[in-house]
Amino acid sequence: MIEEIKALKKELNAVILAHNYTRGEVQDVADYTGDSLELARKATQVDADVIVFCGVYFMAETAKILNPKKTVLIPDPSAGCPMADMITGEELRALKAKHPNAKAVCYVNSTAEVKAECDMCVTSGNAEKVMKTFAADEEILFVPDQHLGGHIAGLLGRTYSLWPGYCPTHAMLTAKSIEDARARHPGVKVMVHPECAKDVRDAADYNLSTGGMCRLARESEEKEFIVGTELGILHRLQKESPEKKFYPVTERLVCPNMKKTTLENLRDALKFRQHEVIVDEEIACKAKKAIDAMLEIS
Ligand code: 13P
Ligand code: SF4
C-alpha cells in the first residue's frame, strides 16, 4: 500500500500533508507532518498540482483557500472538527451585529464561512504573537474556542468576548488527571495543548501547540515528558527524539476524526482523485484575507 501511494503520488504530482494527530503510518508516508500553522504555511510553498490533506476538514479547506488553483483532496470528507462546527456563519454575523465596533478573530479550527466573517485568524502556534498586534483597548470577539481565547487573553492581560466552543477530545483532561500523571511520573514536566480548560492549563508546566511540543521535546535538556494532547503526537515525538520518554496523561485522548485517514483511503484518494475540497469562491476570497493577515504576522 505504501509503495502504491508513493507511485500514485508521483504520477499525480501530488504532495501529502499530515497533521501531527493522524495515525503513525499516515504520518510516515506523508511528505510533511506538522501543526495547523506549519501545514497552512507549507500549503503556500509546495508546487505540486495536487495536495492530499490528511487531517480534518477545516485544515483541507484552509489549504484550498490558500491554493484556489490547486486540487485539494481529503481522504475521508466526513473527518470534521466538532469544535469548528460549534459556531455557524449566521451565529457569528448575529454576534457581530451586537458588537459593531469589535474585531472578530477566529481560531483556524473554524469553517470557511466563519473565517470569511473575521478580521483575523490565529492558530495555537501563533495566537499570542498575532493577538499582540491588536491595541489593548480593541474589543475582540474570539471564536470558537473559549479555552485558546481565554489562554491568550490571560497571557496578554486582556478581556475577550469568548464564544463557548471547546474541543471534546481535550475536554477529557482534568486537573486531577494531570495530578495523577505527575504521581505516576514524579519530577517529569507536563505539556498540554491550550485547547484544555484553564484548571488543566494551570496544572501543567507548558501550554503549547503540537508543533511547539515537538520543538520543546527536541531542544530541551529534559529526557521525559508527560503529554496532554491527542495521542497521535506521541508518534512524532518519539520519532524525533527516540532517546526520550513520553507518557500520555491518559490513553483515552483520541480524536476520532483525526483517525479517519487510513493508508487505504489515502491510497484511494490518490487513485480516484477523490474527495475534492471545494470552497465557494466569494467565501474563499474573504476567508483568505483573515488567513493571509495571520501569515503575514507570524
Ligand atoms: P495544532 O495547531 O496545535 O496542531 O492544533 C490543532 C488541533 O486541532 C488541536 O486539537
Ligand atoms: Fe477538533 Fe479537538 Fe479533534 Fe483538534 S482534537 S480536530 S480541536 S476535535
Side-chain angles (χ1 to χ4, degrees):
M1 192 98 70
I2 291 169
E3 290 314 310
E4 210 182 338
I5 289 170
K6 286 184 182 162
L8 285 162
K9 204 176 68 172
K10 238 190 195 163
E11 202 180 302
L12 261 72
N13 187 26
V15 66
I16 301 174
L17 305 183
H19 188 264
N20 290 326
Y21 292 162
T22 52
R23 295 169 186 272
E25 64 271 25
V26 170
Q27 294 187 33
D28 289 344
V29 81
D31 296 289
Y32 303 100
T33 303
D35 68 9
S36 308
L37 176 62
E38 292 159 346
L39 294 177
R41 265 210 208 102
K42 196 44 85 181
T44 64
Q45 295 160 356
V46 293
D47 62 358
D49 299 318
V50 177
I51 296 174
V52 186
F53 208 107
C54 305
V56 290
Y57 204 84
F58 77 79
M59 296 180 175
E61 211 173 43
T62 304
K64 178 66 185 177
I65 292 166
L66 291 168
N67 293 282
K69 293 206 167 68
K70 289 190 179 167
T71 301
V72 177
L73 304 174
I74 183 161
D76 184 338
S78 77
C81 167
M83 181 211 281
D85 295 329
M86 286 180 189
I87 184 166
T88 63
E90 204 176 322
E91 285 169 323
L92 180 52
R93 281 189 288 277
L95 181 69
K96 282 170 57 179
K98 280 193 206 146
H99 301 265
N101 300 318
K103 292 275 189 277
V105 178
C106 59
Y107 186 22
V108 70
N109 296 39
S110 53
T111 62
E113 196 188 349
V114 163
K115 289 187 179 79
E117 291 293 333
C118 288
D119 301 285
M120 183 64 81
C121 179
V122 299
T123 75
S124 56
N126 65 13
E128 186 181 355
K129 189 171 180 190
V130 173
M131 295 311 289
K132 262 188 192 159
T133 63
F134 287 100
D137 58 355
E138 193 93 66
E139 185 185 2
I140 303 285
L141 308 175
F142 193 99
V143 303
D145 188 11
Q146 58 180 302
H147 299 309
L148 178 67
H151 175 59
I152 302 300
L155 286 178
L156 301 181
R158 311 235 169 120
T159 306
Y160 302 153
S161 294
L162 302 171
W163 189 259
Y166 64 94
C167 163
T169 301
H170 287 93
M172 288 180 212
L173 287 184
T174 59
K176 169 82 168 54
S177 63
I178 304 286
E179 206 182 288
D180 292 347
R182 283 195 196 274
R184 290 196 302 276
H185 307 286
V188 177
K189 293 273 195 285
V190 180
M191 46 190 180
V192 302
H193 199 275
E195 286 174 15
C196 294
K198 184 169 187 328
D199 57 342
V200 176
R201 298 194 308 268
D202 288 348
D205 298 294
Y206 305 100
N207 285 201
L208 294 165
S209 72
T210 61
M213 290 181 183
C214 293
R215 236 177 338 273
L216 174 71
R218 282 195 309 266
E219 293 167 8
S220 158
E221 305 265 284
E222 301 283 336
K223 297 279 177 267
E224 295 172 285
F225 288 96
I226 294 169
V227 183
T229 195
E230 212 277 345
L231 297 185
I233 188 81
L234 296 170
H235 180 80
R236 177 154 175 213
L237 288 169
Q238 204 63 77
K239 197 167 157 181
E240 290 182 345
S241 310
E243 74 293 357
K244 300 193 178 181
K245 289 205 167 95
F246 302 97
Y247 312 111
V249 174
T250 155
E251 296 283 351
R252 290 171 49 240
L253 221 70
V254 173
C255 171
N257 287 289
M258 282 288 184
K259 299 297 178 253
K260 285 187 177 173
T261 306
T262 60
L263 285 182
E264 196 168 9
N265 60 26
L266 170 55
R267 188 267 322 265
D268 288 349
L270 288 160
K271 193 167 173 179
F272 305 114
R273 284 180 77 102
Q274 67 188 21
H275 302 274
E276 190 170 351
V277 175
I278 308 281
V279 187
D280 173 90
E281 235 173 79
E282 201 184 322
I283 289 180
C285 198
K286 286 190 195 161
K288 190 169 185 297
K289 286 187 187 148
I291 303 169
D292 282 342
M294 163 185 93
L295 291 175
E296 242 166 66
I297 297 166
S298 58

